[in-house]
Amino acid sequence: MTSGFHFWDYIVFIAYAVLILGVGLWVSRDKKGHQKNAEDYFLASKSLPWWAIGASLIAANISAEQFIGMSGSGFASGLAIASYEWMAAITLIIVGKYFLPIFIDKGLYTIPEFVEKRYSTNLKTILAVFWIALYVFVNLTTVLYLGSLALETIIGIPLVYGVIGLALFAAAYSLYGGLSAVAWTDVIQVVFLVLGGLLTTYLALHTLSDGHGILAGLNTVFETVPERFEMILDKSNPEYKNLPGLGVLVGGMWVANLYYWGFNQYIIQRTLAAKSLGEAQKGILLAAFLKLVIPLIVVIPGIAAYVMVNDPEIMSRLGGVAQENLPSLEQADKAYPWLLQFLPTGLKGVAFAALAAAIVSSLASMLNSTSTIFTMDIYKQYINKKASDKATVNTGRLSAFVALVIACIMAPLLGNLDQAFQFIQEYTGVVSPGILAVFLLGLFWKKTTNQGAIVGALVSIPIAMYFKVAPKGWSTSPFFVDVPFMDQMGYTLLLTMGVIAIYSYLQHKGADDDKGIPITKALFKTSPLFNIGSFAVLIILTVLYAMFW
């Protein structure tokens, strides 16, 4: 058992890379006599079937922050972190039934475009600039950092070279082909992602059981650390600040999930590229079912690694390699890369390809969405309103390249970031409640005004920052103490919605806004397949939470 890569590992990984690049470039090629236009580049010609949408949603979502960051959180806190995945399944159903019909009916390219149609160009621009900054300085940067950290841990590639390599890999097909290349390669990526993830889970549990199988290994984990299988944490748990008990089910988790799955460009863009609303909803349903099994791939390995690290007998059985890159509660994100060291030659290449698939697919998705927002909402709005299809597509490619260069410069500066998944959630959570408030009221309350939305969006930042930095001891009220960030998001959402509602009501004296969206029962009608599938997801989730409450 050795920690390095061997000949067959390199062969497997190179074969994966060639396959992804080949497919990406093949689907990116221009049809004879046809100049690629904005719809081709940014919305894959609106031709995606349901199974491609579902696979692409998961591939875009599952990245280094899940494989490495969520495994690290599993190592530190246990199964409770899986609430992000399981509650996402419910959120996807809500998005498919209540948000997508409106978005697709309006023929959107970008989420900021909806803001313009419902509110104003000024608010659209404010949010477009915010999203570009968030994707470049938080999402792209963190995914590059975590991915290169994995490369460094597993095969010893220096962090800076890992950042450059991953960036070039993602850019090689996504910059040229646009969303079509990203979505169709995602179908392949998700196969690698799931199979490679299951392989790592199998290895960890099989090792724990000393060769007696995964069920015996799972039983060993459960018996050794039963406290790490509690979904609802109490205040005595050190991780309560990240996952505050029932607040996870009825509070800020909804803010994080509704914002991410409903109004996040690099996620929702896949559904906007569907052949039809029905296809988009079936793709959403597929993604919801896949979300139910993701914790088995990204959380269970982290818990298993915790048991292994704290069992002297297992550590001695693993040999000297087990002491390399050892994870700890202070460096929990090393858990997943540490496990990959123990895979046999060949299979290590498969598992590493799965990790690379998760990283590269997310990078490609974020790059495409960053370029879409910049091109459609900034470039065509303010720089070149009469831009040709060729100029539009070239601007999309150039803006994606610039975003990637900035992220490459920023990524190594993150240093020794611990529990990166929590880092991303916490800092995104400063701005997401205000944006979610603007969208929810804009979609479902016709009295919401443009000025009310702008005031609410601006006020939400100081509200969120106040909760984040307010010193302890000012009062016994939860509004003045250092509350968990998930509760902060819930409070910020409610207060922001209150500000928007009051301002809008006073501005128009209770009358409907001119741009209010007419809501009809027929708009939200869904197929029997979607309804039955949604019910099945809810039943499974009820059983899971009942088992691990």
Side-chain angles (χ1 to χ4, degrees):
M1 187 179 294
T2 59
S3 60
F5 253 40
H6 291 84
F7 175 77
W8 286 110
D9 296 314
Y10 285 110
I11 291 296
V12 169
F13 184 75
I14 291 169
Y16 149 76
V18 170
L19 175 64
I20 294 301
L21 290 174
V23 170
L25 294 174
W26 185 76
V27 300
S28 301
R29 72 198 190 286
D30 290 330
K31 295 182 177 66
K32 190 174 181 179
H34 176 70
Q35 169 69 48
K36 192 181 261 98
N37 58 36
E39 185 175 280
D40 297 330
Y41 189 79
F42 297 115
L43 290 182
S45 308
K46 289 195 174 182
S47 62
L48 295 184
W50 65 271
W51 48 272
I53 293 167
S56 190
L57 281 169
I58 296 300
N61 166 240
I62 301 300
S63 181
E65 65 192 75
Q66 270 79 17
F67 263 113
I68 298 175
M70 195 170 274
S71 287
S73 294
F75 184 95
S77 60
L79 191 63
I81 196 70
S83 281
Y84 277 101
E85 302 301 306
W86 287 343
M87 289 187 66
I90 305 177
T91 308
L92 279 162
I93 291 168
I94 293 171
V95 169
K97 185 169 180 65
Y98 294 109
F99 297 175
L100 272 189
I102 298 174
F103 292 161
I104 290 180
D105 180 62
K106 290 188 173 294
L108 302 181
Y109 276 83
T110 69
I111 290 299
E113 188 182 354
F114 168 80
V115 178
E116 182 175 40
K117 292 185 176 183
R118 176 60 181 87
Y119 293 115
S120 68
T121 301
N122 288 339
L123 184 57
K124 178 196 80 167
T125 303
I126 291 169
L127 293 185
V129 171
F130 153 73
W131 266 307
I132 291 170
L134 180 69
Y135 290 155
V136 174
F137 292 103
V138 177
N139 297 101
L140 278 170
T141 301
T142 309
V143 170
L144 276 173
Y145 166 73
L146 287 174
S148 57
L149 178 66
L151 289 173
E152 186 176 50
T153 303
I154 298 165
I155 53 178
I157 294 177
L159 191 75
V160 173
Y161 295 128
V163 167
I164 295 170
L166 289 170
L168 290 175
F169 191 178
Y173 66 91
S174 65
L175 263 62
Y176 176 68
L179 184 63
S180 181
V182 174
W184 289 109
T185 53
D186 277 352
V187 175
I188 301 170
Q189 307 266 37
V190 85
V191 173
F192 275 96
L193 189 155
V194 173
L195 291 180
L198 288 174
L199 186 64
T200 306
T201 302
Y202 170 81
L203 161 86
L205 296 176
H206 190 71
T207 302
L208 272 171
S209 68
D210 196 15
H212 290 91
I214 58 171
L215 292 179
L218 197 57
N219 187 58
T220 299
V221 175
F222 188 78
E223 289 181 350
T224 306
V225 285
E227 71 281 0
R228 272 178 158 63
F229 285 86
E230 295 174 359
M231 292 298 297
I232 307 300
L233 306 181
D234 58 39
K235 290 186 178 181
S236 64
N237 193 299
E239 290 297 316
Y240 182 84
K241 65 182 187 299
N242 292 324
L243 298 161
L246 284 174
V248 171
L249 296 183
V250 297
M253 180 71 81
W254 287 106
V255 179
N257 272 327
L258 285 171
Y259 164 77
Y260 181 87
W261 292 102
F263 308 111
N264 188 342
Q265 178 69 24
Y266 79 83
I267 292 296
I268 209 70
Q269 192 167 344
R270 279 120 183 83
T271 60
L272 300 180
K275 290 179 178 179
S276 64
L277 174 60
E279 288 290 293
Q281 288 173 329
K282 285 192 288 185
I284 284 269
L285 191 60
L286 171 61
F289 275 105
L290 289 173
K291 269 293 176 186
L292 297 177
V293 301
I294 292 299
L296 185 63
I297 297 172
V298 299
V299 180
I300 297 298
I303 303 174
Y306 178 81
V307 175
M308 293 166 70
V309 165
N310 289 282
D311 189 319
E313 183 182 337
I314 293 175
M315 291 296 286
S316 64
R317 197 166 68 230
L318 291 173
V321 70
Q323 301 301 322
E324 298 178 19
N325 302 304
L326 198 64
S328 65
L329 291 177
E330 290 72 35
Q331 290 186 308
D333 284 340
K334 286 187 174 183
Y336 197 85
W338 180 75
L339 283 174
L340 294 189
Q341 297 178 122
F342 307 118
L343 282 168
T345 298
L347 293 183
K348 191 180 295 181
V350 175
F352 190 66
L355 182 58
I359 296 164
V360 170
S361 61
S362 291
L363 284 174
S365 299
M366 292 169 189
L367 284 172
N368 184 256
S369 294
T370 304
S371 68
T372 303
I373 292 176
F374 177 82
T375 304
M376 305 305 292
D377 297 320
I378 304 295
Y379 175 75
K380 290 200 74 173
Q381 180 74 45
Y382 297 103
I383 300 173
N384 188 357
K385 292 185 177 182
K386 297 181 180 180
S388 64
D389 283 330
K390 184 176 181 180
T392 302
V393 172
N394 286 339
T395 300
R397 289 168 177 160
L398 180 61
S399 58
F401 175 76
V402 171
L404 192 59
V405 170
I406 295 171
C408 285
I409 295 169
M410 296 296 297
L413 303 180
L414 291 182
N416 296 319
L417 185 64
D418 180 44
Q419 290 201 58
F421 183 79
Q422 296 289 5
F423 167 82
I424 293 169
Q425 301 307 319
E426 187 165 349
Y427 284 91
T428 304
V430 171
V431 288
S432 57
I435 293 173
L436 181 60
V438 167
F439 276 98
L440 289 178
L441 290 175
L443 284 169
F444 303 114
W445 196 49
K446 289 190 285 186
K447 301 182 191 304
T448 310
T449 65
N450 173 55
Q451 288 185 21
I454 292 175
V455 169
L458 295 175
V459 167
S460 70
I461 303 296
I463 292 174
M465 289 306 297
Y466 174 76
F467 285 131
K468 190 167 184 59
V469 303
K472 298 180 182 180
W474 285 13
S475 169
T476 57
S477 166
F479 288 95
F480 294 91
V481 298
D482 185 20
V483 296
F485 84 90
M486 199 170 286
D487 290 344
Q488 294 171 21
M489 289 195 293
Y491 291 144
T492 304
L493 174 69
L494 295 175
L495 289 171
T496 304
M497 291 180 77
V499 169
I500 296 173
I502 292 170
Y503 194 99
S504 298
Y505 190 85
L506 293 175
Q507 185 183 2
H508 278 187
K509 307 296 188 234
D512 289 350
D513 186 70
D514 293 340
K515 292 187 176 182
I517 297 172
I519 301 296
T520 63
K521 189 176 180 180
L523 185 64
F524 303 122
K525 187 176 181 181
T526 46
S527 68
L529 174 65
F530 184 86
N531 295 336
I532 293 169
S534 300
F535 185 71
V537 169
L538 293 175
I539 291 295
I540 294 169
L541 282 170
T542 301
V543 171
L544 287 170
Y545 271 97
M547 287 173 60
F548 299 113
W549 189 271

